[in-house]
Amino acid sequence: MPARRDLANAIRALSMDAVQKANSGHPGAPMGMADIAEVLWNDFLNHNPQNPSWVDRDRFVLSNGHGSMLIYSLLHLSGYELPIEEIKNFRQLHSKTPGHPEYGYAPGVETTTGPLGQGISNAVGMAIAEKSLAAQFNQAGHEIVDHYTYCFLGDGCLMEGISHETCSLAGTLGLGKLIAFWDDNGISIDGEVEGWFTDDTPKRFESYGWHVIPAVDGHDPEAVKAAIEAARAETQKPTLICTKTIIGFGAPNKQGTHGSHGSPLGDDEIALARKALGWDYAPFEVPADIYDAWDAKAAGKAKEAAWNEKFAAYQQAHPELAAEFERRVINNELPADFAEKANAFIAECQEKGEKIASRKASQNVIEAFGSLLPELMGGSADLAGSNLTLWSGSKGLTHDDASGNYIYYGVREFGMSAIMNGISLHGGFIPYGGTFLMFMEYARNAVRMSALMGIRNVFVYTHDSIGQGEDGPTHQPIEQLATLRLTPNLMTWRPCDGAETAVAWKASVERKDGPSALVFSRQGLNAQQRDAEQLANIAKGGYILSDSKGEPELILMATGSEVDVTMKSAEVLRGQGKNVRVVSMPSTSVFDQQDAQYKESVLPINVSARIAVEAAHEDFWYKYVGFDGRFVCMTTFGESAPGGALMEHFGFAVDNIVSVANELLEADS
């Protein structure tokens, strides 16, 4: 049996070689954390390389994702489908080994990391999901949910503000199966961190309510093993293991310096490192006995088989719970009758036709869907009473009872969004979380990561425009709608009434390949009349809400709270003899995905007179109105005044829309 150091040196050698071949990358962290990773993966981690999606596997997150060759080496050595050719192809186009770990590329990569602080935050979400699923499904003698979340993180993760948000909440919720390893190497890109990072990290985490194990020698396998055992013995608190390491361990001239952090070591230094480590093998060569010692396929298969037996016993003892677990967690399926019941609710909203704020309409949908979808895991960043994310069946998660379906995130918009990503990645839940649209800005990078990974989340954003009113321009979003719509793979909805709100929610819940942003009003909105075809066409993102008697000479496009005033403006224009079409565009993201024939039927190319009406920045709308179109939109920040007065002041009124329309038609004539 090879010595532990030799097993760890395989990680170091592969990391050095891959970064050198790519002429790009970060060898320091993999070399420094190799000894810790070897102990964790060979002595503790429950996983099955032949089935990376086994539901009761331990999760491993590399939050300091720049050290990606660490996780690629671990996956390759332990037997995942990541052959040596992919290691050699590190950081190259279409490889499974991109510069930072990306979810969906290499099997076994649990989340995309790189933006520092988000990996540990995802890990908090995964640990929340594990604790909540265990509370909901485990029964006496039948613990079918029982796994750990392990996370490596560095100084950069701890400096990022999001780590404060999420680690604080992790302590409050008592996530006893979350174990984090701090790579305390004292080095970041700019050099020794003591010039800009002097926090007492152990005391900081103790104040959060974490179990802290300080001053562990990260290059002493027995010390690391003892620390992990102590962490697993503490079941009521998450654990931070503070591991003192040497960045670039083994490289004689660059270890312990920022010179090994983010660039290749160079051929000469690698040769010296091989000699210092006693690694007498060619680049990318790993001897058979090292591979054999790392191989986790047989052990992983046996662990999953043991769990399958446990689950079979659970099925016998608790058949209904087992069937629900299979649906939600194993198969990731919605209830068979969800679509039918959701469509019935949409029809009911249309028939009711009430004036309602879309944030309240959203709450009504959550109330209706909540009883159908036990997998909904709600939350809000301390704005539940304003976002209206609570429903009658909401039950908050606590330290002592994690069986609920609602997380009180506190004022942690960024943390909430990254935790939602972790919950979604873990599986078994559909997370939704609310804040004001303006404060999406705090969370933007986590929203982007959700879209990048293609995972299901429902981001609820209320108080969507200058209609927010008296709180003033600090709370009134202007450019945020455009930036959400410009985010690839993010479906953004801004509904105009109860029916459109229900359709948006249904589409978001049914979507499995990416997140959705639901943008809702503070103020009440009038219901719009629709026939059955129009009601069905809401799901296409844009549709003809009201048409001219003949060929349209003018198309008015609007979303959300501006649809009603646009409809009223169209009636005035028709009274003046104008042929006007009104198009409601609740989701430009979805509309753009429709076929050319449908889009032409809604926005015929031969009608060039077009006006966009939306209380948000006008620049987004050029793609629909063209250079010759007009806007009733925003180009400035808002003001502090009642919402109705602001709408009038900024031109979202019938008289102004009619005036803009007539001016456009006269210019075209």
Side-chain angles (χ1 to χ4, degrees):
M1 178 70 180
R4 282 192 181 274
R5 180 54 56 82
D6 292 330
L7 298 179
N9 285 343
I11 297 172
R12 295 185 172 102
L14 289 173
S15 299
M16 289 190 300
D17 294 340
V19 171
Q20 187 66 28
K21 185 174 187 296
N23 196 30
S24 173
H26 300 75
M31 296 174 73
M33 299 193 80
D35 294 306
I36 306 166
E38 187 278 320
V39 174
L40 175 64
W41 277 61
N42 284 325
D43 289 14
F44 295 97
L45 195 74
N46 284 326
H47 64 121
N48 183 4
Q50 296 177 92
N51 182 14
S53 60
W54 169 36
V55 296
D56 202 42
R57 69 191 181 279
D58 291 337
R59 271 65 171 177
F60 175 77
V61 174
L62 183 68
S63 189
N64 45 342
H66 53 271
S68 56
M69 268 311 305
L70 175 65
I71 193 168
Y72 298 149
S73 299
L74 290 165
L75 294 171
H76 168 71
L77 291 167
S78 59
Y80 286 79
E81 289 188 16
L82 195 68
I84 194 67
E85 288 74 22
E86 292 291 348
I87 303 298
K88 293 178 180 179
N89 212 23
F90 178 55
R91 286 187 163 225
Q92 305 308 302
L93 184 63
H94 302 315
S95 75
K96 292 183 178 181
T97 51
H100 292 81
E102 292 190 38
Y103 177 71
Y105 281 66
V109 172
E110 300 283 1
T111 182
T112 299
T113 56
L116 295 177
Q118 288 200 60
I120 178 60
S121 303
N122 296 164
V124 171
M126 293 174 187
I128 288 173
E130 191 277 342
K131 185 171 182 175
S132 187
L133 282 176
Q136 291 181 15
F137 285 100
N138 286 354
Q139 301 295 310
H142 297 278
E143 293 190 351
I144 60 166
V145 181
D146 183 16
H147 54 266
Y148 286 85
T149 302
Y150 298 101
C151 181
F152 282 9
L153 69 159
D155 294 318
C157 293
L158 293 174
M159 283 186 263
E160 286 287 357
I162 190 174
S163 70
H164 296 259
E165 296 182 25
T166 55
C167 292
S168 168
L169 187 60
T172 298
L173 294 178
L175 304 180
K177 289 185 178 175
L178 172 62
I179 300 175
F181 299 78
W182 170 31
D183 182 25
D184 180 15
N185 59 36
I187 297 293
S188 66
I189 292 175
D190 285 349
E192 296 182 8
V193 300
E194 62 185 19
W196 47 87
F197 182 53
T198 58
D199 300 11
D200 189 329
T201 297
K203 285 185 178 178
R204 170 186 155 191
F205 275 76
E206 287 172 0
S207 76
Y208 292 157
W210 283 55
H211 173 219
V212 177
I213 303 175
V216 175
D217 183 348
H219 302 296
D220 180 348
E222 293 308 312
V224 172
K225 183 175 181 180
I228 297 173
E229 289 171 343
R232 288 163 59 99
E234 173 53 74
T235 61
Q236 299 302 306
K237 297 178 179 181
T239 295
L240 178 70
I241 301 177
C242 305
T243 55
K244 194 66 181 175
T245 63
I246 299 172
I247 192 171
F249 182 92
N253 299 305
K254 293 189 176 182
Q255 68 176 12
T257 74
H258 69 280
S260 66
H261 173 86
S263 58
L265 297 178
D267 291 332
D268 291 344
E269 185 71 6
I270 288 176
L272 292 173
R274 276 183 151 75
K275 184 176 181 180
L277 295 170
W279 188 261
D280 300 322
Y281 308 101
F284 300 105
E285 179 185 346
V286 178
D289 63 332
I290 298 287
Y291 271 126
D292 290 343
W294 269 106
D295 192 342
K297 293 192 294 293
K301 183 178 180 181
K303 289 173 182 177
E304 184 174 354
W307 183 86
N308 288 337
E309 291 181 7
K310 186 188 297 186
F311 188 70
Y314 182 75
Q315 287 176 305
Q316 290 291 320
H318 304 282
E320 292 184 4
L321 280 173
E324 181 70 357
F325 188 86
E326 283 188 287
R327 178 189 72 78
R328 277 177 56 182
V329 185
I330 297 177
N331 298 326
N332 188 26
E333 294 175 346
L334 295 175
D337 60 353
F338 172 73
E340 178 184 355
K341 290 182 177 179
N343 286 333
F345 180 76
I346 292 167
E348 181 184 322
C349 291
Q350 180 62 46
E351 184 178 350
K352 188 179 295 182
E354 64 180 330
K355 180 176 182 177
I356 190 171
S358 54
R359 62 171 175 158
K360 177 59 180 175
S362 169
Q363 185 179 47
N364 291 345
V365 179
I366 297 170
E367 184 73 36
F369 288 5
S371 59
L372 305 176
L373 300 170
E375 55 263 53
L376 280 181
M377 178 64 80
S380 179
D382 202 49
L383 289 167
S386 295
N387 300 147
L388 303 184
T389 47
L390 288 166
W391 63 289
S392 63
S394 293
K395 177 184 176 183
L397 271 67
T398 68
H399 182 289
D400 298 322
D401 183 2
S403 64
N405 58 3
Y406 195 87
I407 301 171
Y408 290 92
Y409 285 102
V411 187
R412 299 180 175 100
E413 296 89 354
F414 194 4
M416 172 183 73
S417 304
I419 286 172
M420 288 169 62
N421 287 346
I423 293 171
S424 181
L425 287 161
H426 181 280
F429 295 101
I430 301 173
Y432 70 90
T435 187
F436 287 2
L437 176 58
M438 188 65 250
F439 302 132
M440 175 277 300
E441 291 289 355
Y442 285 128
R444 179 182 299 279
N445 200 263
V447 176
R448 183 179 188 272
M449 294 291 283
S450 184
L452 179 64
M453 290 188 279
I455 56 177
R456 177 167 49 188
N457 275 316
V458 184
F459 297 108
V460 177
Y461 299 128
T462 68
H463 298 62
D464 67 350
S465 71
I466 57 171
Q468 149 76 335
E470 294 87 345
D471 281 339
T474 61
H475 286 53
Q476 294 166 5
I478 301 298
E479 71 276 23
Q480 284 64 39
L481 261 173
T483 58
L484 287 172
R485 289 167 175 155
L486 291 171
T487 303
N489 198 39
L490 176 65
M491 297 295 107
T492 301
W493 293 82
R494 187 176 185 243
C496 75
D497 63 4
E500 285 192 357
T501 299
V503 171
W505 260 105
K506 177 176 181 286
S508 303
V509 166
E510 291 180 335
R511 185 178 188 223
K512 291 184 177 182
D513 60 353
S516 301
L518 305 185
V519 179
F520 298 130
S521 72
R522 176 195 187 192
Q523 68 272 33
L525 309 178
N526 288 323
Q528 302 301 318
Q529 294 184 351
R530 301 175 184 85
D531 59 25
E533 182 180 5
Q534 290 171 314
L535 188 63
N537 283 342
I538 294 173
K540 296 181 179 179
Y543 63 101
I544 301 169
L545 180 60
S546 175
D547 211 357
S548 57
K549 292 183 179 179
E551 287 295 316
E553 59 182 314
L554 171 68
I555 297 176
L556 301 178
M557 289 170 274
T559 78
S561 53
E562 289 71 68
V563 167
D564 189 61
V565 70
T566 303
M567 289 285 283
K568 292 173 180 175
S569 301
E571 287 305 306
V572 172
L573 289 164
R574 288 170 187 150
Q576 297 174 354
K578 309 295 194 303
N579 286 329
V580 181
R581 170 178 292 181
V582 178
V583 173
S584 178
M585 297 274 278
S587 178
T588 60
S589 316
V590 174
F591 179 75
D592 288 348
Q593 293 181 346
Q594 305 308 308
D595 61 47
Q597 182 179 0
Y598 178 76
K599 287 187 284 190
E600 168 68 15
S601 73
V602 176
L603 299 176
I605 195 169
N606 65 325
V607 182
S608 61
R610 303 180 181 191
I611 300 174
V613 185
E614 186 177 65
H617 204 289
E618 69 178 35
D619 280 4
F620 172 81
W621 287 96
Y622 276 105
K623 66 187 290 188
Y624 300 109
V625 305
F627 289 127
D628 297 326
R630 297 290 188 274
F631 309 94
V632 180
C633 297
M634 298 292 295
T635 57
T636 68
F637 295 115
E639 298 283 353
S640 181
L646 290 175
M647 288 295 190
E648 184 80 24
H649 173 74
F650 285 104
F652 300 99
V654 172
D655 288 348
N656 184 57
I657 296 171
V658 169
S659 175
V660 172
N662 282 320
E663 185 261 331
L664 173 61
L665 291 171
E666 289 171 9
D668 280 356
S669 62

